[in-house]
Amino acid sequence: MSDDFNAKMKLLIKSEKALLALEMRKKSRQSVWIALALLAVLVGLIMLNVTVYLLLSEHYSNLVSAAILSGLNILVAALFLLVASRQDRGAEVQSIEDIRDFAWEQISTDIDEVKQNVADFKQSVSNVKSTVDNFTSGDAFGLKKIMPVITTLIELNKKK
């Protein structure tokens, strides 16, 4: 059982490591996209803001030009953040999670079996202890209860 349990634990550990590696890969890709989004937004806003503000200031007041630029800046940032949030875990994650769940089930079953074996052993020890206690108290086979009957029979046998 020990080798089987060790194999199940190794399977569980490998599946957890694989899930962690996939999650780290996902997070690193998201981080790259977010960094690119922030860089693009920053450079784009600097260049675009100057250009668009100059263009808009010819046709609108300074306040309206600034409001239009703010709306465009928010739209660009939202677009990049949307791309970053679309990173999914993929199909391989589901199969690894199934393996992990199977390993947890098997380990749980083994632990329950060990608990039952310990409970059975405890019950056996308790039974042996009660038998030893009966034997040492002079009542090995329930003799104390029938001792008066035995002594009476012995006395009757002596009288004959």
Side-chain angles (χ1 to χ4, degrees), residues 55-100:
L55 178 68
L56 290 174
S57 64
E58 292 178 7
H59 301 289
Y60 302 104
S61 68
N62 290 340
L63 184 61
V64 173
S65 298
I68 292 172
L69 275 177
S70 296
L72 288 174
N73 290 338
I74 291 172
L75 184 65
V76 169
L79 177 67
F80 283 113
L81 291 175
L82 179 68
V83 169
S85 69
R86 294 229 176 216
Q87 300 295 316
D88 61 345
R89 294 173 16 161
E92 59 191 6
V93 173
Q94 181 61 40
S95 63
I96 293 172
E97 285 176 343
D98 289 343
I99 292 170
R100 179 195 62 193

Side-chain angles (χ1 to χ4, degrees), residues 8-9 18 28 31 35 39-41 62 64-65 70 79 82 86-87 98 112 115 123 126 129-131 134 137-138 140:
K8 291 173 186 173
M9 285 299 291
S28 67
S31 297
L39 183 63
V41 166
N62 290 340
V64 173
S65 298
S70 296
L79 177 67
L82 179 68
R86 294 229 176 216
Q87 300 295 316
D98 289 343
D112 289 343
K115 282 182 185 177
Q123 183 63 37
S126 176
K129 184 178 182 273
S130 67
T131 303
N134 285 342
S137 69

Side-chain angles (χ1 to χ4, degrees), residues 96-139:
I96 293 172
E97 285 176 343
D98 289 343
I99 292 170
R100 179 195 62 193
D101 293 343
F102 173 75
W104 271 119
E105 274 182 33
Q106 294 300 313
I107 289 170
S108 176
T109 301
D110 288 349
I111 289 173
D112 289 343
E113 183 179 319
V114 168
K115 282 182 185 177
Q116 184 61 42
N117 289 343
V118 168
D120 291 346
F121 179 73
K122 182 180 174 185
Q123 183 63 37
S124 298
V125 168
S126 176
N127 289 345
V128 168
K129 184 178 182 273
S130 67
T131 303
V132 168
D133 287 346
N134 285 342
F135 187 73
T136 57
S137 69
D139 191 21

